[in-house]
Amino acid sequence: MIESSVITVERDGHVAVVWLDRADKLNAMGHEFWAELPDIMDALGADSEVRAVVIAGRGKALTVGLDLVAFGPKLATGIGGDEGSAVNRRMASMAEIKKLQRTFTAIAECPKPVIVAIHGYCLGGGIDMITACDIRLAAEDAVFSVRETKLAMVADVGTLQRLPKIVDPGRVAELVYTGKDFDAAEAHEMGLVSRVYPDADTVQKEALAMAHEIAANSPLAVQGAKAVLRATANRSVDEALDYVALWNAAYLQSNDLGEAAAAFIEKRPPEFTGE
């Protein structure tokens, strides 16, 4: 596993918990975070022993988003820097933005289901991050904001692309244009989070319990369902039905399917191997 000074990975059976571990800075996303998280997600995605992933934050918040202290000089001069021609600066800026985008795309593209447990602040880059996850759970004290607008920025690492697929586009426009804070109850009402729990400890425990419930199913079926959901999100119903028919024609016959049938007949819990 990738070593990181700001992210800790714990294993609990077939579940991996990815902790944002910079509590003293409210898990602000510094240079190390952006560089190391995609490698961690890629490694977990490739690990056959991992069947589900939980993302959570140590301390008082999930994350306050971009570390403005670390990135302040770049923001002041432009991400591409202040040297060279205007064209070169813009190209450098584009390359840097694409690099940052890759951090959260690694979450979205992880073949394993990813659950995020949100408490305290979830601002700016935090929204980008949680919209890349499959399932979002929150504590009652969670505070959300597409904060970039208030910082004279356009959110550019996923929020504007993923949030409208989760929440009504008109509601997205309201949140983005105002940059206002909203709480867990409003996040639940609009469908951004699926469940709300009393506090951080509870939401983290419930996220872990849900991950274990997922991990108890056939990993072939779970990961296949995620792959089909992602691949057919923008297809017509007919195209999507053709896609899943092809998927099952390729992957339906498995040892896990036989085990599911045998366990049902024998009235026992199945033991899936992913084969």
Side-chain angles (χ1 to χ4, degrees):
M1 179 52 62
I2 304 299
E3 294 292 331
S4 172
S5 59
V6 297
I7 299 170
T8 301
V9 178
E10 296 179 349
R11 302 287 286 270
D12 187 352
H14 289 299
V15 175
V17 183
V18 177
W19 290 99
L20 277 58
D21 205 351
R22 199 183 178 205
D24 59 320
K25 300 296 183 182
L26 296 177
N27 296 316
M29 298 170 172
H31 295 289
E32 297 89 348
F33 170 87
W34 295 98
E36 294 163 1
L37 183 61
D39 291 338
I40 288 171
M41 294 306 303
D42 288 348
L44 294 176
D47 189 335
S48 61
E49 290 299 309
V50 174
R51 299 184 181 181
V53 178
V54 174
I55 296 177
R58 302 280 196 197
K60 297 180 179 180
L62 177 65
T63 177
V64 290
L66 186 71
D67 186 338
L68 296 176
V69 175
F71 281 86
K74 285 190 174 184
L75 294 175
T77 60
I79 290 178
D82 58 359
E83 297 181 0
S85 70
V87 171
N88 288 341
R89 291 198 302 272
R90 288 166 184 161
M91 289 180 66
S93 180
M94 180 73 166
E96 182 69 16
I97 292 169
K98 296 296 289 183
K99 181 179 178 181
L100 297 179
Q101 290 174 347
R102 163 66 186 144
T103 298
F104 297 142
T105 297
I107 296 175
E109 292 184 346
C110 179
K112 319 299 171 63
V114 181
I115 304 168
V116 61
I118 306 157
H119 77 286
Y121 290 119
C122 179
L123 310 179
I127 303 292
D128 294 297
M129 181 176 70
I130 68 170
T131 56
C133 298
D134 298 289
I135 300 169
R136 290 162 294 279
L137 310 177
E140 290 180 357
D141 71 346
V143 177
F144 304 82
S145 174
V146 184
R147 190 57 60 88
E148 288 88 346
T149 311
K150 289 189 175 293
L151 299 174
M153 298 167 61
V154 175
D156 58 5
V157 289
T159 289
L160 301 187
Q161 293 68 42
R162 296 188 176 102
L163 190 56
K165 296 181 183 296
I166 301 168
V167 174
D168 174 77
R171 197 68 167 271
V172 174
E174 174 190 340
L175 300 176
V176 172
Y177 300 162
T178 64
K180 70 175 186 177
D181 291 355
F182 57 101
D183 61 17
E186 185 172 357
H188 183 253
E189 177 268 326
M190 71 176 71
L192 177 58
V193 302
S194 55
R195 298 178 186 275
V196 177
Y197 296 97
D199 51 43
D201 286 344
T202 305
V203 72
Q204 289 165 3
K205 289 177 183 176
E206 292 296 332
L208 185 62
M210 184 181 292
H212 278 294
E213 185 176 2
I214 291 169
N217 291 326
S218 165
L220 291 174
V222 171
Q223 292 167 40
K226 176 169 181 174
V228 170
L229 283 171
R230 291 193 68 240
T232 60
N234 297 313
R235 298 173 186 250
S236 69
V237 172
D238 285 344
E239 290 172 333
L241 287 171
D242 284 344
Y243 187 93
V244 73
L246 289 169
W247 181 277
N248 268 350
Y251 294 104
L252 184 62
Q253 298 303 318
S254 67
N255 292 342
D256 277 357
L257 181 60
E259 168 63 10
F264 178 80
I265 293 169
E266 297 167 11
K267 295 181 171 53
R268 61 172 174 80
E271 296 182 6
F272 296 117
T273 62
E275 298 177 352

